[in-house]
Amino acid sequence: MPVSWPGVAMTEATRHKGRLRRGLIGGVTMLLGLAIGLGAAEIAFRLTWTPPVLRSTPVEEAHAIYRSVPRPAISGKRVSSEFEYAFTHSAQGMRGPEEFTKERPPGTTMRVLVLGDSFTYGVGVADDEIFVDRLRRALPGVEFINAGCSGYGQREQLAILDQLGAALRPDLVIATFFWNDLGDNFNK
């Protein structure tokens, strides 16, 4: 038997339309609330979070021969999802604060030029944690020159040696190699 209000007869179809309307209004309200909540979260996130690339000092600049080189005469911080470290580049564009001339400093018995990629450069570690700096501390009297740069293969190492070899006259050259250098050598 249909339920009725004074003057209105409610049939099953009328009740079904009412439930459908309430369900539709509830669903739209829920979606609207969800959209407003997600929009507010997005705004808060954008106001409070800075992507790592924007928190980093630019490390390299374009170069016609080497593709890229460390930017000279800067100090800064590099931030990524993997690491955060401080770095220094000399005016010559080499990792660390040291400047190198053709004439060796007094007390230097040997000069070593170290060529390589990001492992030699020291991506992910501070200036005093690079293996080249550790060699410098372990072998006093030996001058180590870190000429590494991210992405370098043997092609760039040879070009650096051509440029710096005559200018700095090293007694020994260490050319580091890692398996990804094969790709660096062929992808240019």
Side-chain angles (χ1 to χ4, degrees):
M1 169 168 136
V3 176
S4 63
W5 291 336
V8 178
M10 294 271 298
T11 63
E12 190 63 36
T14 308
R15 275 197 299 263
H16 182 67
K17 284 182 184 178
R19 282 193 300 256
L20 187 60
R21 185 176 297 138
R22 283 191 305 273
L24 188 59
I25 291 172
V28 168
T29 303
M30 183 180 72
L31 288 175
L32 187 61
L34 182 63
I36 290 171
L38 289 174
E42 176 75 17
I43 290 169
F45 189 66
R46 287 181 182 240
L47 290 175
T48 59
W49 182 74
T50 305
V53 71
L54 296 179
R55 295 189 311 247
S56 293
T57 306
V59 175
E60 298 171 355
E61 61 187 20
H63 191 275
I65 297 172
Y66 311 123
R67 191 174 37 115
S68 66
V69 293
R71 290 179 61 210
I74 63 166
S75 292
K77 181 168 64 168
R78 184 106 184 256
V79 180
S80 78
S81 60
E82 297 176 279
F83 45 72
E84 182 173 327
Y85 66 95
F87 68 90
T88 305
H89 291 172
S90 69
Q92 294 165 309
M94 293 184 221
R95 180 75 188 265
E98 298 85 11
E99 299 291 332
F100 302 99
T101 62
K102 196 171 202 171
E103 303 307 317
R104 295 180 191 179
T108 300
T109 58
M110 184 178 197
R111 177 175 275 175
V112 179
L113 177 63
V114 185
L115 305 170
D117 60 4
S118 57
F119 291 97
T120 304
Y121 171 84
V123 168
V125 296
D127 290 342
D128 63 343
E129 296 173 328
I130 302 168
F131 84 86
V132 177
D133 196 63
R134 290 176 181 244
L135 287 171
R136 181 180 297 120
R137 289 193 307 268
L139 300 169
V142 178
E143 184 179 43
F144 286 89
I145 303 169
N146 184 348
C149 183
S150 294
Y152 276 14
Q154 282 63 53
R155 175 184 165 272
E156 290 87 2
Q157 290 179 21
L158 182 58
I160 292 285
L161 180 59
D162 285 345
Q163 177 194 7
L164 294 179
L168 298 176
R169 299 187 326 220
D171 298 307
L172 176 67
V173 175
I174 298 174
T176 62
F177 178 81
F178 193 68
W179 65 267
N180 68 338
D181 291 345
L182 294 172
D184 292 337
N185 290 332
F186 291 111
N187 293 332
K188 305 218 170 45

